[in-house]
């Protein structure tokens, strides 16, 4: 019986599967290790850590939203359209994407599609699948917007010869900086134009250079704490423009801020078994570690399981388990 089970495991775990590194890989690792008490112990620690981090992130975001309400940037009361819950348990990203598409009456015209959920529920991979499947699909990310505001804030300080600090981020200064950002069609494509403080560029032109410079990256957390409202408001206007022009705009993130993006197509990815979040994260870590290991024969599938067991033990030690 043990020999038969060993052969079943070896048949499931192949180097082709490991090298693919996709949802099928992580699901197979979970399937193979689902009765392993060590795996379940570490996965439970991963789940607890992810949920705690999500809670902390949500509290920070809510503080940003509350600050924006206090400044009058965002309304205190917002009527959020009904949210449809999608249980992702046992489903591939493709199946989740298909389920979302089936709930949208007309995908040939423009739509804003909002996707949120806890970390580990597969928001990013689901959105990637939606982008593959939907016509005229584009994704919206607030990341470059935060970077653009940070760049202008840092330049303002340089011009005024004052050190950068949160004291610079007054409501008036933030309003002036955001007024330098213009979303629309530039050179025939939707883009954000930055015009002010000596900068005249499209975000797409500098997203991998100036917007990723050290002086921007180090100050983003501070700027993000003070500009949540302005960024969400800008994002809502931007995605509405793209949707009205026939694009299927995909927006994923945290519920606290996505509540301010107007759309009738709202989806919350949930797991009826919350522990799967940690199992997925652990399986992804084991897979990534195995992919990086040098000198392992890509011919013999028999060494995959034993290698994964060793990796699992190594990860367990980082949790002091």
């Amino acid at each position: 019986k043990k020999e038969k089970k060993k052969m079943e495991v070896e048949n499931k775990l192949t180097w082709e599967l490991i090298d693919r590194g996709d949802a099928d890989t992580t699901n197979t690792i979970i399937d193979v290790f689902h009765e392993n008490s060590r795996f379940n112990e570490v996965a439970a620690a991963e789940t607890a850590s992810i949920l705690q981090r999500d809670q902390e992130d949500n509290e920070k975001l809510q503080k940003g939203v509350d600050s924006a309400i206090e400044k009058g940037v965002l309304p205190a009361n917002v009527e959020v359209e009904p949210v449809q819950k999608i249980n992702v348990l046992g489903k591939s990203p493709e199946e989740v994407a298909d389920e979302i598409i089936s709930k949208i009456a007309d995908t040939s015209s423009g739509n804003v599609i909002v996707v949120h959920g806890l970390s580990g529920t597969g928001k990013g991979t689901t959105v990637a699948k939606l982008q593959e499947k939907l016509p005229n699909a584009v994704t919206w990310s607030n990341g470059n917007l935060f970077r653009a505001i940070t760049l202008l804030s840092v330049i303002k300080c340089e011009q005024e010869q004052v050190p950068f600090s949160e004291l610079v981020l007054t409501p008036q200064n933030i309003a002036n900086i955001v007024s330098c950002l213009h979303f629309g069609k530039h050179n025939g494509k939707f883009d954000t134009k930055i015009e002010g403080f000596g900068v005249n560029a499209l975000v797409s032109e500098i997203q991998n250079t100036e917007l990723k410079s050290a002086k921007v990256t180090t100050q983003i957390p501070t700027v993000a704490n003070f500009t949540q409202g302005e960024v969400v408001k800008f994002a809502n206007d931007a995605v509405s423009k793209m949707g009205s022009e026939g694009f299927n705009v995909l927006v994923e993130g945290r519920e606290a801020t996505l509540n301010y993006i107007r759309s009738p197509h709202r989806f919350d990815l949930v797991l009826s078994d919350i522990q799967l979040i940690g199992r997925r994260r652990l399986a992804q870590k084991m897979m990534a570690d195995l992919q990086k290991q040098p000198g392992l024969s890509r011919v013999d599938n028999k060494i995959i399981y034993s290698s994964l067991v060793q990796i699992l033990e190594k990860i367990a030690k980082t949790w002091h388990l």
Side-chain angles (χ1 to χ4, degrees):
K1 195 176 177 182
K2 276 188 178 179
E3 196 60 35
K4 187 182 175 187
K5 192 168 184 180
K6 190 180 173 190
M7 282 182 67
E8 283 174 3
V9 166
E10 287 168 1
N11 288 336
K12 283 180 182 178
L13 292 170
T14 66
W15 281 112
E16 182 192 0
L17 180 76
I18 296 296
D19 289 334
R20 268 211 326 264
D22 58 12
D24 286 341
T25 314
T26 54
N27 287 339
T28 302
I29 292 172
I30 291 168
D31 182 42
V32 166
F33 282 86
H34 78 282
E35 291 181 346
N36 184 305
S37 59
R38 195 65 161 155
F39 180 86
N40 290 325
E41 182 186 20
V42 179
E46 293 278 0
T47 298
S49 172
I50 291 165
L51 293 178
Q52 184 183 345
R53 196 163 58 248
D54 268 9
Q55 181 63 32
E56 289 167 359
D57 288 348
N58 285 337
E59 286 169 5
K60 285 177 192 171
L61 277 179
Q62 193 57 54
K63 278 177 76 176
V65 169
D66 292 343
S67 171
I69 292 168
E70 211 174 294
K71 289 189 292 184
V73 175
L74 293 176
N77 298 307
V78 59
E79 194 172 325
V80 181
E81 300 85 350
V83 177
Q84 300 189 63
K85 291 192 181 294
I86 307 285
N87 186 4
V88 302
L89 185 69
K91 297 171 189 170
S92 68
E94 186 158 8
E95 288 168 330
V96 176
D98 286 339
E99 189 172 339
I100 288 173
I101 290 168
S102 73
K103 295 177 185 296
I104 300 169
D106 183 10
T107 57
S108 61
S109 61
N111 298 285
V112 175
I113 302 165
V114 172
V115 180
H116 52 68
L118 291 170
S119 295
T121 51
K123 296 186 298 293
T125 48
T126 297
V127 164
K129 282 294 175 188
L130 286 169
Q131 192 169 12
E132 282 176 23
K133 289 170 174 284
L134 290 168
N136 295 324
V138 293
T139 58
W140 174 267
S141 168
N142 289 337
N144 279 338
L145 207 50
F146 281 119
R147 287 179 179 277
I149 294 170
T150 304
L151 175 68
L152 294 179
S153 302
V154 170
I155 289 173
K156 174 181 169 61
C157 290
E158 289 172 349
Q159 290 173 350
E160 295 176 1
Q161 297 184 324
V162 296
F164 177 87
S165 77
E166 61 184 48
L167 298 176
V168 176
L169 300 170
T170 63
Q172 186 57 57
N173 282 345
I174 291 170
N176 290 342
I177 287 165
V178 173
S179 71
C180 299
L181 306 177
H182 313 282
F183 185 82
K185 279 198 169 175
H186 304 281
N187 303 328
K189 290 182 180 178
F190 277 111
D191 207 336
T192 301
K193 188 166 191 180
I194 308 173
E195 228 170 356
F197 298 94
V199 180
N200 190 343
L202 296 174
V203 162
S204 63
E205 294 170 341
I206 61 170
Q207 63 185 359
N208 294 317
T209 51
E210 284 102 315
L211 294 186
K212 286 195 176 167
S213 63
K215 70 179 182 182
V216 169
T217 302
T218 53
Q219 306 301 352
I220 282 175
T222 304
V223 171
N225 284 340
F226 285 84
T227 58
Q228 287 289 347
E230 288 80 1
V231 166
V232 170
K233 195 174 178 184
F234 189 99
N236 184 51
D237 291 342
V239 299
S240 297
K241 274 184 189 175
M242 289 190 286
S244 66
E245 293 240 359
F247 286 90
N248 282 305
V249 190
L250 305 165
V251 191
E252 64 108 340
R254 305 275 180 177
E255 193 173 358
T257 51
L258 293 184
N259 282 344
Y260 288 90
I261 302 290
R262 300 280 52 84
S263 169
H265 309 299
R266 315 182 76 84
F267 301 95
D268 185 27
L269 304 190
V270 298
L271 275 165
S272 52
D273 177 7
I274 203 73
Q275 290 301 326
L276 187 59
I277 289 175
R279 290 186 210 120
R280 278 183 173 175
R281 182 62 55 85
L282 177 55
Q284 287 164 353
K285 285 184 176 181
M286 290 164 68
M287 172 187 72
D289 197 313
L290 184 59
Q291 287 172 335
K292 287 186 294 187
Q293 286 196 11
L296 287 181
S297 166
R298 285 304 200 255
V299 178
D300 188 0
N301 291 331
K302 292 177 183 177
I303 65 168
I304 298 175
Y305 180 75
S306 58
S307 299
L308 287 172
V309 168
Q310 289 173 10
I311 291 166
L312 172 60
E313 198 51 45
K314 184 172 75 173
I315 295 170
K317 284 177 182 171
T318 67
W319 285 104
H320 305 292
L321 296 173

